[in-house]
Amino acid sequence: MPAPRQLVVEADGGSRGNPGPAGYGAVVIDPDTAQVLAEAAEFIGVASNNVAEYRGLIAGLTAVRDLFPDTDVRVLVRMDSKLVVEQMSGRWKIKHPDMKPLAARAAEILPASSVTYEWIPRAENKHADRLANEAMDAGRRGGQWEPSSSTADLDTPRAAPEPEPSGPPGDAAAGAARVRAAMAAARPAPTPARAPESPQVPQAAQAPQVGWGSAPDLGSPATFVLLRHGETVLTPEKRFSGSGGSDPELSATGRDQAARAAEAFAERGTVQEIVSSPLRRCRETAAAVADRLGLEVRIEEGLRETDFGAWEGLTFAEVRERFGSDLSAWLASPEVAPTGGGESFTEVAERVAATRDRLVAAYAGRTALLVTHVTPIKTLVRLALGAPPESLFRMELSPASLSVVAYYADGNPSLRLLNDTSHLG
């Protein structure tokens, strides 16, 4: 009896807006030669990232069935969607009503015993990613992707003269060897890594309309999901806790909040990148989300909390008692720093604005989770709204709360959410 035919399916999906204009890409590869046997891509209209990812999976498995209708096959599906891989492997429950029928449809294409799933970093899924982007580009032009327009095979090795990788990632030998190794191993341990996606070029340089108006097509914005860290022992007592004093860890309550936030992000499937303040309470919160989503965490110094100088660890009442005149001056002017060499709100705003600009450029068209503190989040919101500095004292931000700001290609931001704690139950 002949041995089963070994195949690899790599699939991806994307949404510019999430939900927004969406498309998928899928490729079927011979693991022995790294030869591309089939490509599939389609613009699917307005949908979420997760829907597009599932549609890519369905297209890839369907291509295998159509190529080898009467052949016993063994298929390794490789995707950078942790959600799809874990749900189709049976390790995560499928809760979202939009995902259930898609998962069921994917499971019916080939026998369950013939398909295994592996999460891979985005950098190893370039072929399917480019197909998905080509499909979305075609949809933006009012058409559909055509195989003749595909350039995705530029990212896929075409031959494998050597059994071991000897060149840079993406060359023929390395690619084929990597795919063969993946087929040989049931589920090799992935190395979390992400590569920034090239920003989409907007079609028009017009300001996005707000309120009841409809925004013009400026491309997908850089969307920052702002997560305040979970609770520490200092939080319930409302003590000044910045970057100049102790670096407290999350309390038991804070760890639970981080876990709940991670679960919410896994269900929504919108976060593509994670950036954290260097302080411990943020790193721990970010790590909980990163572990759940299979992403890496980038540390960004510009997201650290204000240095409160001599006020670190004190309550507001204690600061009023010990440094009354300094506190009054601080409350009256953003130019005044806390006692003992702390940072003024003006200094913090300059630091945060510079950080914002770097991250907007790095994550254009993507959704990034920024795990940070009260002052940086309030500052990003204030700057997005063009509000005066005193507005910092008029916002409430709960531990592990979510706020969202989107930054469009013309430089105009849009505040979408503030202090949401619904995910905490």
Side-chain angles (χ1 to χ4, degrees):
M1 190 172 180
R5 177 71 185 262
Q6 305 291 314
L7 299 164
V8 170
V9 167
E10 293 178 354
D12 198 10
S15 171
R16 295 171 181 171
N18 202 25
Y24 67 75
V27 57
V28 181
I29 301 171
D30 183 327
D32 292 325
T33 64
Q35 179 185 3
V36 174
L37 304 178
E39 289 181 330
E42 184 183 4
F43 173 68
I44 60 174
V46 175
S48 69
N49 279 334
N50 287 341
V51 168
E53 295 273 12
Y54 263 109
R55 290 289 299 274
L57 169 63
I58 291 168
L61 294 177
T62 300
V64 170
R65 185 190 62 190
D66 293 345
L67 282 170
F68 305 102
D70 301 315
T71 303
D72 185 16
V73 295
R74 294 293 181 271
V75 180
L76 174 65
V77 174
R78 309 175 79 226
M79 300 180 68
D80 60 61
S81 170
K82 187 76 168 178
L83 180 84
V84 174
V85 167
E86 295 299 320
Q87 287 183 344
M88 292 303 298
S89 298
R91 291 186 291 272
W92 290 5
K93 292 183 179 179
I94 305 174
K95 300 178 181 179
H96 198 286
D98 290 346
M99 301 302 112
K100 290 182 179 180
L102 292 172
R105 182 176 165 191
E108 293 173 352
I109 298 171
L110 296 172
S113 59
S114 67
V115 184
T116 56
Y117 293 85
E118 176 195 1
W119 178 86
I120 57 175
R122 187 178 185 84
E124 293 183 20
N125 204 24
K126 290 182 180 179
H127 191 137
D129 175 76
R130 186 178 290 188
L131 287 172
N133 276 286
E134 287 179 358
M136 286 184 279
D137 290 342
R140 186 169 60 180
R141 296 189 296 267
Q144 277 291 355
W145 177 85
E146 297 290 342
S148 61
S149 66
S150 173
T151 60
D153 61 347
L154 298 175
D155 291 321
T156 301
R158 312 300 296 182
E162 299 294 336
E164 297 297 329
S166 58
D171 75 356
R178 185 179 67 241
V179 173
R180 288 199 302 273
M183 292 295 295
R187 193 174 303 278
T191 300
R194 302 285 285 190
E197 183 181 87
S198 299
Q200 300 300 322
V201 179
Q203 288 185 315
Q206 305 174 26
Q209 298 179 23
V210 295
W212 298 105
S214 298
D217 183 7
L218 289 169
S220 184
T223 302
F224 292 170
V225 180
L226 309 173
L227 173 62
R228 185 189 171 193
H229 61 80
E231 185 176 296
T232 74
V233 293
L234 301 180
T235 308
E237 299 179 6
K238 298 187 181 299
R239 295 182 178 275
F240 283 92
S241 181
S243 58
S246 63
D247 192 4
E249 64 183 355
L250 294 178
S251 63
T253 297
R255 290 191 292 273
D256 178 68
Q257 291 168 337
R260 289 174 183 267
E263 197 65 32
F265 288 126
E267 289 185 13
R268 297 173 189 177
T270 55
V271 170
Q272 299 166 292
E273 313 284 348
I274 302 178
V275 185
S276 173
S277 155
L279 299 182
R280 184 174 181 177
R281 51 198 183 274
C282 285
R283 288 188 285 107
E284 290 178 342
T285 303
V289 179
D291 289 346
R292 188 69 173 84
L293 300 186
L295 300 176
E296 66 174 359
V297 178
R298 169 184 168 183
I299 300 301
E300 173 55 64
E301 287 287 335
L303 293 179
R304 59 183 169 80
E305 182 56 287
T306 306
D307 183 343
F308 290 111
W311 303 352
E312 294 278 357
L314 302 179
T315 65
F316 191 87
E318 289 169 341
V319 172
R320 171 72 75 185
E321 180 182 350
R322 301 181 195 182
F323 309 101
S325 60
D326 289 352
L327 178 63
S328 296
W330 179 73
L331 293 172
S333 172
E335 303 287 341
V336 175
T339 310
E343 284 182 291
S344 70
F345 282 148
T346 297
E347 292 172 319
V348 173
E350 292 174 353
R351 163 166 59 86
V352 169
T355 301
R356 173 204 60 196
D357 293 345
R358 288 196 303 273
L359 296 179
V360 166
Y363 299 126
R366 299 179 67 74
T367 298
L369 175 67
L370 274 53
V371 185
T372 180
H373 310 264
V374 168
T375 310
I377 294 175
K378 287 185 177 182
T379 299
L380 287 169
V381 171
R382 178 182 79 76
L383 295 175
L385 295 176
E390 56 265 29
S391 64
L392 294 175
F393 298 112
R394 299 172 185 171
M395 298 182 220
E396 177 71 23
L397 283 179
S398 303
S401 63
L402 296 178
S403 302
V404 179
V405 181
Y407 298 88
Y408 287 88
D410 64 351
N412 283 334
S414 174
L415 177 64
R416 296 182 173 180
L417 189 69
L418 180 66
N419 196 38
D420 176 32
T421 57
S422 60
H423 55 286
L424 299 179

